[in-house]
Amino acid sequence: ILDVPCAYHSSQMDIIKDEFYQLLSDIQYTEPDGAVTFVSTTTGEIYHGPFDTNYFWNNIRNPVQFQKALSIAKQQLLVDTVIEIGATA
């Protein structure tokens, strides 16, 4: 259980949306080059980009699709080992 002050990946995050977009407005995003296949726990699918402010907001705001992403990795990419790295790892 995470010790957090509010429910992440929920409507409780909406209060920070405007500030989040403002803080990230100056970041220059680049498209992934395709060298690594990325399975997103934000979409639960193989993701080709872009990794932009909208993508990261969806990561904050919406439920994590971890099981779906693992299934895609196993079925479509034949992955049998996964390492999860998080902010507190």
Side-chain angles (χ1 to χ4, degrees):
I1 297 175
L2 296 174
D3 183 19
V4 294
C6 64
Y8 292 174
H9 310 291
S10 76
S11 61
Q12 289 187 15
M13 300 307 294
D14 290 347
I15 195 168
I16 69 163
K17 183 177 183 179
D18 291 341
E19 182 179 6
F20 178 82
Y21 271 84
Q22 183 180 8
L23 288 171
L24 274 66
S25 66
D26 292 333
I27 295 176
Q28 297 294 319
Y29 299 98
T30 59
E31 293 291 322
D33 65 7
V36 174
T37 301
F38 185 82
V39 182
S40 170
T41 58
T42 298
T43 66
E45 302 286 340
I46 294 174
Y47 190 75
H48 301 286
F51 293 101
D52 59 10
T53 306
N54 290 324
Y55 175 83
F56 291 110
W57 173 252
N58 286 328
N59 183 279
I60 289 171
R61 174 59 177 83
N62 297 320
V64 175
Q65 302 292 319
F66 191 75
Q67 181 60 44
K68 187 176 177 186
L70 287 179
S71 294
I72 293 294
K74 184 175 181 178
Q75 293 168 6
Q76 293 185 22
L77 303 175
L78 305 177
V79 170
D80 63 4
T81 303
V82 174
I83 299 171
E84 180 185 16
I85 300 172
T88 59

